[in-house]
Amino acid sequence: MRILGVIFDLDGVILSTDEYHYLAWLDMAKKENIYFDREINERLRGVSRMDSLEIVLERSTKKYSQEEKIKLCEYKNNKYRALLEKLSPKDIFPGATDFLKFLLYKKIKIAIGSSSKNAKYILKKIELYDMFDGHISDGTNITKSKPDPEVFTKAAEMLKINPCNCLVIEDAYAGIEAAKKGGMIAMGIGSAKDCSLCDLRADDISSIDKSIFE
Ligand code: BG6
Ligand code: MG
């Protein structure tokens, strides 16, 4: 296993915007009188906005038109964006910036592989945007959401590295599945640690064993 590039999921890996996604969906669900809890929220990790809405609507008895669904996605995204507004470098998980610097020092390339259309906005807010040198594959350049490997395959192409030499770091089951489908090495952190498809595991970004990069 030779790791030449690392592709990071963003929400829940570099910072806890996953919690903001939860709060924004909870707000939307309450407005529509739909039951929603943290267990359902786990299924939304790594999944696109519209696919996430479809999961939330499973608990609704009402049938929504496509137009209404788009409006609900907009509502959720506005709530989410309001929560993102106060983001700053202080929100980066402990050890994440040092880990990115360590990889660059080791000449290991880094990229983002996130389903989010807000990824670039978030990276700018937390002042990590420049570190990725334009290697940002996100919700704006993909047609298929995780567990499809597209977002990671595109990130590997940006890095010009063979997928088998790319390590994907993910907190979502859907993301681990996507990485394996794309022929990459998959590391599960946080919630994804229990996924049987993981090649590697760590509690969080600060506890990754650096000897795997030797
Ligand atoms: C992923 C999150 O990173 O982005 C999902 O894990 C989210 O929960 C998806 O639905 C899409 O995000 P956005 O910001 O485009 O609504
Ligand atoms: Mg995530």
Side-chain angles (χ1 to χ4, degrees), residues 4-27:
L4 302 176
V6 180
I7 304 170
F8 291 86
D9 172 49
L10 181 63
D11 299 320
V13 169
I14 291 181
L15 75 170
S16 65
T17 36
D18 51 331
E19 181 63 17
Y20 295 162
H21 276 296
Y22 165 70
L23 294 172
W25 282 123
L26 183 65
D27 185 309

Side-chain angles (χ1 to χ4, degrees), residues 151-169:
V151 73
F152 295 140
T153 306
K154 293 219 163 137
E157 277 166 15
M158 285 175 181
L159 295 179
K160 299 189 177 64
I161 295 177
N162 197 316
C164 68
N165 295 116
C166 289
L167 170 71
V168 169
I169 305 182

Side-chain angles (χ1 to χ4, degrees), residues 19-197:
E19 181 63 17
Y20 295 162
H21 276 296
Y22 165 70
L23 294 172
W25 282 123
L26 183 65
D27 185 309
M28 190 230 80
K30 274 192 181 149
K31 178 178 91 71
E32 293 297 308
N33 272 316
I34 301 169
Y35 178 77
F36 184 69
D37 63 17
R38 286 190 182 270
E39 208 179 312
I40 301 169
N41 186 62
E42 282 301 311
R43 294 173 56 207
L44 312 185
R45 284 184 193 274
V47 177
S48 75
R49 199 179 304 162
M50 187 52 91
D51 289 350
S52 296
L53 175 70
E54 294 291 355
I55 294 171
V56 176
L57 295 185
E58 284 172 9
R59 291 292 188 119
S60 170
T61 44
K62 182 181 161 185
K63 285 275 156 269
Y64 291 86
S65 67
Q66 195 54 24
E67 206 178 308
E68 285 170 324
K69 287 179 185 174
I70 291 167
K71 284 226 168 76
L72 290 180
C73 279
E74 272 169 16
Y75 178 90
K76 182 266 173 179
N77 194 49
N78 288 339
K79 292 285 165 192
Y80 180 57
R81 290 285 292 216
L83 292 166
L84 294 182
E85 221 159 89
K86 55 178 190 255
L87 279 184
S88 80
K90 285 190 201 126
D91 293 291
I92 300 171
F93 281 142
T97 308
D98 284 347
F99 182 56
L100 294 171
K101 285 183 183 160
F102 163 82
L103 294 174
L104 293 176
Y105 170 76
K106 285 278 187 186
K107 304 263 182 292
I108 294 168
K109 292 186 176 176
I110 58 170
I112 291 287
S114 164
S115 307
S116 174
K117 292 193 166 117
N118 292 298
K120 293 189 185 84
Y121 174 76
I122 294 168
L123 286 165
K124 283 178 186 160
K125 285 291 244 185
I126 60 174
E127 297 174 16
L128 286 183
Y129 184 83
D130 292 339
M131 226 185 211
F132 287 92
D133 200 18
H135 301 138
I136 298 166
S137 176
D138 63 13
T140 63
N141 71 291
I142 53 166
T143 54
K144 284 164 267 165
S145 178
K146 299 169 188 174
D148 188 280
E150 185 182 15
V151 73
F152 295 140
T153 306
K154 293 219 163 137
E157 277 166 15
M158 285 175 181
L159 295 179
K160 299 189 177 64
I161 295 177
N162 197 316
C164 68
N165 295 116
C166 289
L167 170 71
V168 169
I169 305 182
E170 257 293 350
D171 72 318
Y173 274 57
I176 296 292
E177 201 183 323
K180 292 318 295 170
K181 279 185 187 156
M184 293 148 197
I185 308 155
M187 178 185 279
I189 67 168
S191 307
K193 238 178 40 178
D194 302 328
C195 178
S196 60
L197 295 174

